[in-house]
Amino acid sequence: MSPWAPYRSGCRWPVGFAMYSPPAKPDLDSREHIECFVDRFYANVLADKQLAPIFLDVAAIDLAVHLPHIKNYWCKLLLGDKAYGRHTMNIHRNVHAKFPFTRIEFDRWLHLFKQVAENNFSGVKTDRAIQIASSIAMNMDVSLNKKT
């Protein structure tokens, strides 16, 4: 009998052979995963033709200072960590005064956020992060652009 005979029927696998399944995506359920997410997200933001100038030229962020704050912020929101104590809205009001954000910028930011989250992570905390990011984008747009 040919060694390939069992496979011709399509119903048997060789002993010890496991079908390939891609590794499961991690959830945003630890500081390590959140830090990885933030690093990937900011790599995309800073490569984006629409958003990069806002972050680099208008806000003039120093990544060595900014990224730890953002990582602490998301750890606070997703894990309950207490390390973040800044007022996010005031920081964005200062940037908005220099460059008025529109719905277009918030939509782009949210698109990149979802893209990085969904392509690299999966789970309850990841879904929660996307919900929070959606609320952040909407609330900032409404708050910064409200008609007085």
Side-chain angles (χ1 to χ4, degrees), residues 77-88:
L77 295 177
L78 296 174
L79 306 176
D81 286 7
K82 306 287 187 218
Y84 187 85
R86 299 166 44 134
H87 193 284
T88 306

Side-chain angles (χ1 to χ4, degrees), residues 29-54:
D29 58 358
S30 69
R31 174 167 281 279
E32 177 186 5
H33 294 157
I34 291 169
E35 288 181 354
C36 179
F37 166 78
V38 169
D39 289 339
R40 287 179 183 189
F41 173 61
Y42 269 82
N44 285 7
V45 166
L46 298 178
D48 187 78
K49 290 178 183 177
Q50 183 180 348
L51 296 181
I54 298 168

Side-chain angles (χ1 to χ4, degrees), residues 1-147:
M1 179 164 124
S2 162
W4 296 105
Y7 312 114
R8 288 193 186 126
S9 68
C11 62
R12 289 189 262 170
W13 292 97
V15 175
F17 181 83
M19 291 191 61
Y20 172 77
S21 62
K25 295 177 191 175
D27 198 1
L28 293 173
D29 58 358
S30 69
R31 174 167 281 279
E32 177 186 5
H33 294 157
I34 291 169
E35 288 181 354
C36 179
F37 166 78
V38 169
D39 289 339
R40 287 179 183 189
F41 173 61
Y42 269 82
N44 285 7
V45 166
L46 298 178
D48 187 78
K49 290 178 183 177
Q50 183 180 348
L51 296 181
I54 298 168
F55 281 80
L56 297 174
D57 301 331
V58 179
I61 63 168
D62 176 352
L63 286 176
V65 174
H66 186 70
L67 288 181
H69 288 305
I70 300 304
K71 291 170 182 178
N72 285 338
Y73 177 71
W74 282 102
C75 285
K76 174 184 177 180
L77 295 177
L78 296 174
L79 306 176
D81 286 7
K82 306 287 187 218
Y84 187 85
R86 299 166 44 134
H87 193 284
T88 306
M89 201 62 220
N90 286 342
I91 295 165
H92 289 86
R93 277 190 187 100
N94 293 336
V95 177
H96 182 71
K98 298 176 192 174
F99 178 92
F101 299 121
T102 68
R103 186 77 210 157
I104 294 168
E105 286 82 30
F106 290 115
D107 286 346
R108 183 66 183 154
W109 178 88
L110 184 57
H111 169 77
L112 293 177
F113 189 99
K114 286 180 177 180
Q115 184 178 57
V116 171
E118 291 170 350
N119 288 345
N120 299 284
F121 300 90
S122 178
V124 173
K125 297 283 187 177
T126 301
D127 293 343
R128 180 77 181 128
I130 292 170
Q131 290 173 336
I132 292 169
S134 297
S135 293
I136 289 169
M138 183 187 69
N139 291 338
M140 282 205 182
D141 182 33
V142 168
S143 180
L144 293 173
N145 293 307
K146 64 184 168 189
K147 309 288 187 234

